[in-house]
């Protein structure tokens, strides 16, 4: 065979080998694609729990790749955390499961047991209302996982049961003010119950829970300090309530850091049944959708764009925002003053509500109501006079026009306190520890001796006579006073502050004569060597 014939035969063999290779490669690729398609459809069957039928694709691929549900064997069990387990009809979202485990079945259960151990029926009733608040909050969280964010009106209606229960908690506290033994307990629960209002916080709800915790801690610490040495049950009770609120703060910080998360692909909140969702923790009567995706980016600030000129359209979106910012200081002209009735720190009932009640109409937006006049002193109810010994203190108060008030059964360990007396004379016989006189008018007091200070505060036209000794006399915020000293009391130290027309009478002879000396009121201050040096201003002539 010639060389030309051999070359032609080699060419034919190469072409045949290439055709066979291409055919094999094409067949292998098609089989791989069909296998991948079959695998994807198997995953879809697992997620939906049934068979899928694709009419168009069935006719286009071999029968071996068509997928059907096998009636004799159940679908494969999905692992925890897989897509199939999250979409199961009886599954509970992770946030709700954590709420049940950490709050409902955790700290709340401990708090209720501690309250029951105290044996106070009214306190147990208030604690059960707090438990109802947390259960109803769970219903709102469950609604948020299944529904889109409702309007403000619909959300207010959704929160109405929580508001009613919170008001019931506050009502029990108000009705129990006279119960001094348990008033701190009622106040502790009432101040902390507002922590469930975090679901309405637009941002940083954990901070709202923290504020309620601090408010409850104020009275809880008083319970702890009162019963620390008496009854440990009360201490454990107070700490369990604070631990409940703290656990709620940690939960909110973990699952709702920027606010309550709603399901953007869910149904309407008005169609959601709180009664069916608020049953036993960890169970729900309707199938739940998968957990919602991360929250969408915050919306643009809604502002009213400036009126457009006749030649152009009104600004919208980002352009309207920059148009408002470009107004400069004029942007605050539309703001109004917040009234006291709208301040949450002055109205505890507003802490669980984002809706502020409308302000009553006023005659003019700039007009201010005049301050309420105080009732004249002559029309104020007079309190009954009282003179009694309380512990080591003699109380003498609210006497008027009585010139014969005598305290003759005193001891060196007792003090005398005068308050609110008018046009009276009080005589203290015997040596006592100290004397205080406050808010008295035209009142005179005669004292034998004291071993500590005599204090006179906010009095008008008083007279003080010391027959024996007194180490210190202190006079503050007082006008028109006369102090008579004995010969044995000339070493007394007299301290005055914010006083006027105070005179000291010093004995000058054996016949009972006195020399009156005024207490200086005018001082001159100069700077010497970097220090202030004050001296009395003396008038001559």
């Amino acid at each position: 065979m010639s060389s030309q014939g051999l070359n032609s035969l080699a060419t034919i063999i190469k072409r045949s080998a290439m055709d066979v290779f291409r055919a094999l490669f094409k067949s292998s690729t098609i089989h791989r694609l069909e296998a991948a398609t079959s695998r994807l459809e198997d995953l879809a069957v697992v997620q939906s729990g049934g068979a899928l039928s694709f009419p168009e694709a069935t006719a286009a691929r071999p029968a071996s790749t068509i997928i059907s549900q096998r009636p004799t064997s159940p679908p494969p069990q999905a692992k925890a955390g897989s897509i199939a387990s999250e979409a199961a009809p009886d599954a509970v979202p992770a946030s709700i499961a954590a709420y049940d485990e950490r709050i409902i079945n955790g700290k709340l259960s401990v708090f209720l047991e501690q309250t029951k151990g105290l044996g106070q029926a009214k306190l147990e009733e208030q604690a059960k209302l707090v438990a109802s608040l947390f259960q109803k909050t769970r219903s709102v969280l469950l609604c948020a996982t299944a529904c889109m964010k409702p309007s403000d009106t619909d959300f207010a209606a959704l929160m109405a049961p929580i508001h009613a229960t919170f008001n019931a908690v506050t009502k029990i506290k108000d009705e129990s003010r006279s119960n001094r033994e348990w008033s701190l307990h009622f106040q502790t629960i009432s101040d902390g119950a507002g922590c469930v209002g975090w679901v309405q916080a637009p941002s940083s709800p954990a901070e709202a829970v923290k504020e309620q915790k601090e408010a409850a801690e104020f009275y809880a610490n008083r319970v702890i300090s009162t019963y620390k040495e008496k009854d440990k049950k009360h201490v454990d009770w107070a700490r369990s309530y604070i631990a409940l609120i703290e656990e709620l703060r940690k939960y909110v910080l973990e699952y709702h850091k920027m606010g309550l998360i709603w399901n953007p692909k869910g149904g309407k909140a008005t169609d959601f049944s709180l009664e069916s969702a608020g049953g036993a923790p960890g169970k729900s009567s309707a199938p739940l959708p998968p957990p919602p995706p991360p929250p969408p980016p915050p919306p643009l600030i809604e502002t009213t764009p400036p009126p457009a000129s006749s030649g152009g359209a009104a600004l919208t979106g980002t352009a309207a925002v920059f148009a408002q910012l470009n107004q400069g200081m004029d942007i605050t002209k539309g703001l109004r003053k917040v009234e006291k009735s709208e301040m949450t720190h002055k109205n505890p009932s507003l802490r669980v509500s984002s809706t502020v009640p409308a302000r009553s109409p006023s005659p003019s937006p700039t007009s201010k109501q005049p301050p309420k006049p105080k009732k004249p002193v002559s029309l104020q109810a007079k309190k009954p006079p009282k003179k009694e010994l309380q512990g080591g203190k003699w109380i003498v108060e609210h006497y008027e026009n009585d010139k014969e008030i005598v305290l003759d059964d005193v001891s060196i360990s007792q003090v005398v306190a005068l308050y609110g007396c008018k046009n009276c004379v009080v005589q203290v016989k015997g040596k006592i520890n100290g004397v205080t006189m406050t808010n008295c008018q035209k009142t005179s007091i005669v004292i034998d001796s004291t071993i500590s200070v005599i204090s006179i505060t906010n009095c008008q036209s008083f007279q003080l006579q010391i027959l024996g000794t007194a180490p210190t006399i202190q006079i503050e915020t007082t006008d028109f006073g006369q102090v008579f000293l004995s010969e044995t009391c000339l070493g007394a130290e007299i301290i005055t502050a914010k006083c006027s027309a105070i005179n000291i009478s010093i004995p000058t002879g054996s016949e009972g004569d006195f020399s009156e000396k005024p207490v200086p009121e005018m001082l001159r201050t100069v700077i010497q060597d970097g220090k202030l040096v004050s001296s009395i201003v003396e008038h001559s002539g």
Side-chain angles (χ1 to χ4, degrees):
M1 182 180 292
S2 62
S3 59
Q4 184 176 3
L6 290 175
N7 289 336
S8 299
L9 180 59
T11 302
I12 293 173
I13 293 173
K14 287 181 180 180
R15 288 179 180 177
S16 300
M18 290 299 293
D19 291 340
V20 173
F21 177 77
R22 289 193 186 97
L24 291 174
F25 177 78
K26 182 177 181 181
S27 176
S28 176
T29 303
I30 291 174
H31 282 292
R32 291 177 62 189
L33 291 175
E34 289 178 349
T37 304
S38 177
R39 177 57 180 163
L40 292 175
E41 292 173 352
D42 287 341
L43 292 177
V45 170
V46 172
Q47 294 182 19
S48 61
L52 295 178
S53 61
F54 301 93
E56 297 177 359
T58 301
R61 68 175 186 268
S64 61
T65 61
I66 300 176
I67 303 172
S68 62
Q69 185 179 8
R70 298 179 181 177
T72 58
S73 60
Q77 182 69 27
K79 296 182 180 180
S82 65
I83 299 176
S85 63
E86 292 179 2
D90 295 332
V92 176
S95 60
I96 302 299
Y99 186 85
D100 292 340
E101 179 183 357
R102 298 165 59 175
I103 305 298
I104 301 297
N105 300 327
K107 301 297 183 179
L108 179 59
S109 178
V110 174
F111 168 68
L112 293 177
E113 288 296 327
Q114 294 288 348
T115 306
K116 188 177 181 180
L118 296 181
Q120 217 286 342
K122 203 69 174 178
L123 191 67
E124 286 188 45
E125 180 183 352
Q126 193 182 35
K128 289 179 180 178
L129 289 174
V130 172
S132 178
L133 279 176
F134 281 93
Q135 288 283 5
K136 292 174 181 178
T137 303
R138 178 187 184 275
S139 301
V140 174
L141 297 179
L142 200 56
C143 176
T145 62
C147 303
M148 296 184 295
K149 184 175 182 180
S151 62
D152 292 342
T153 304
D154 293 340
F155 191 47
L158 190 67
M159 293 293 295
I162 295 181
H163 296 166
T165 307
F166 177 80
N167 292 335
V169 173
T170 306
K171 184 178 179 181
I172 291 180
K173 181 259 297 183
D174 295 336
E175 292 175 349
S176 305
R177 289 184 184 274
S178 58
N179 191 345
R180 297 196 174 186
E181 182 181 358
W182 297 93
S183 60
L184 292 176
H185 299 70
F186 292 116
Q187 189 72 44
T188 300
I189 293 181
S190 177
D191 283 10
C195 64
V196 298
W198 70 267
V199 294
Q200 292 183 303
S203 60
S204 302
E207 289 298 322
V209 178
K210 182 180 178 182
E211 291 178 3
Q212 295 300 314
K213 175 194 169 187
E214 292 173 351
E217 276 183 333
F218 176 79
Y219 290 96
N221 290 337
R222 294 179 62 181
V223 173
I224 294 174
S225 62
T226 302
Y227 291 93
K228 184 185 300 183
E229 305 296 337
K230 298 179 181 179
D231 193 345
K232 193 173 182 296
K233 290 183 180 180
H234 296 263
V235 177
D236 295 339
W237 174 86
R239 288 174 177 170
S240 67
Y241 188 59
I242 298 302
L244 170 62
I245 303 177
E246 174 62 17
E247 188 64 29
L248 177 63
R249 187 191 70 84
K250 293 179 181 178
Y251 167 81
V252 172
L253 197 60
E254 181 176 352
Y255 290 95
H256 303 277
K257 186 174 183 180
M258 301 307 296
L260 182 61
I261 300 175
W262 296 85
N263 188 350
K265 297 182 180 180
K268 293 183 178 179
T270 53
D271 298 335
F272 188 82
S273 174
L274 280 180
E275 287 74 11
S276 62
K283 297 181 181 179
S284 60
S285 60
L288 299 176
L300 294 176
I301 301 176
E302 296 181 1
T303 55
T304 304
S309 60
S310 58
L315 297 176
T316 58
T318 308
V321 175
F322 285 104
Q324 289 287 324
L325 294 176
N326 291 334
Q327 294 181 16
M329 297 302 294
D330 293 338
I331 195 172
T332 60
K333 287 185 177 180
L335 301 179
R336 66 177 180 85
K337 183 180 179 182
V338 179
E339 302 294 341
K340 290 184 178 180
S341 61
E342 302 171 345
M343 298 179 181
T344 56
H345 66 283
K346 294 183 178 292
N347 299 274
S349 60
L350 296 179
R351 295 175 187 170
V352 296
S353 172
S354 62
T355 304
V356 179
R359 183 176 57 173
S360 57
S362 57
S364 172
T366 58
S367 62
K368 294 183 179 180
Q369 295 181 354
K372 185 178 181 180
K374 295 182 179 180
K375 184 180 292 186
V377 178
S378 59
L379 298 180
Q380 294 179 1
K382 294 183 179 180
K383 298 182 179 180
K386 180 172 65 174
K387 182 180 71 172
E388 64 180 7
L389 178 63
Q390 297 180 356
K393 178 185 292 187
W394 279 97
I395 304 296
V396 181
E397 59 184 9
H398 305 305
Y399 276 88
E400 289 190 13
N401 303 319
D402 192 340
K403 306 290 185 180
E404 298 180 356
I405 304 174
V406 180
L407 299 177
D408 53 4
D409 188 16
V410 298
S411 65
I412 197 171
S413 63
Q414 297 173 348
V415 297
V416 176
L418 278 68
Y419 180 84
C421 296
K422 183 177 181 181
N423 197 22
C424 297
V425 177
V426 181
Q427 185 175 0
V428 182
K429 295 183 178 181
K431 193 171 186 179
I432 57 175
N433 188 287
V435 177
T436 62
M437 185 166 64
T438 308
N439 290 340
C440 296
Q441 297 182 11
K442 298 181 180 180
T443 298
S444 303
I445 180 170
V446 181
I447 303 172
D448 283 357
S449 296
T450 64
I451 61 174
S452 64
V453 65
I454 299 174
S455 176
I456 301 174
T457 305
N458 198 25
C459 295
Q460 303 293 325
S461 301
F462 77 94
Q463 288 187 347
L464 169 65
Q465 183 174 4
I466 303 175
L467 303 179
T469 60
T472 305
I473 302 172
Q474 181 176 315
I475 307 172
E476 297 182 14
T477 321
T478 298
D479 299 326
F480 304 103
Q482 192 79 23
V483 179
F484 296 90
L485 302 178
S486 64
E487 291 184 356
T488 58
C489 194
L490 296 180
E493 182 182 37
I494 302 173
I495 303 173
T496 60
K498 298 178 67 176
C499 297
S500 63
I502 304 297
N503 297 315
I504 310 298
S505 296
I506 303 173
T508 57
S510 58
E511 297 181 358
D513 295 333
F514 287 87
S515 175
E516 188 176 90
K517 304 291 184 180
V519 175
E521 300 177 16
M522 185 179 295
L523 301 176
R524 179 180 65 248
T525 303
V526 296
I527 302 175
Q528 294 182 358
D529 299 330
K531 299 181 180 180
L532 298 180
V533 179
S534 300
S535 59
I536 301 172
V537 176
E538 298 181 356
H539 298 277
S540 59

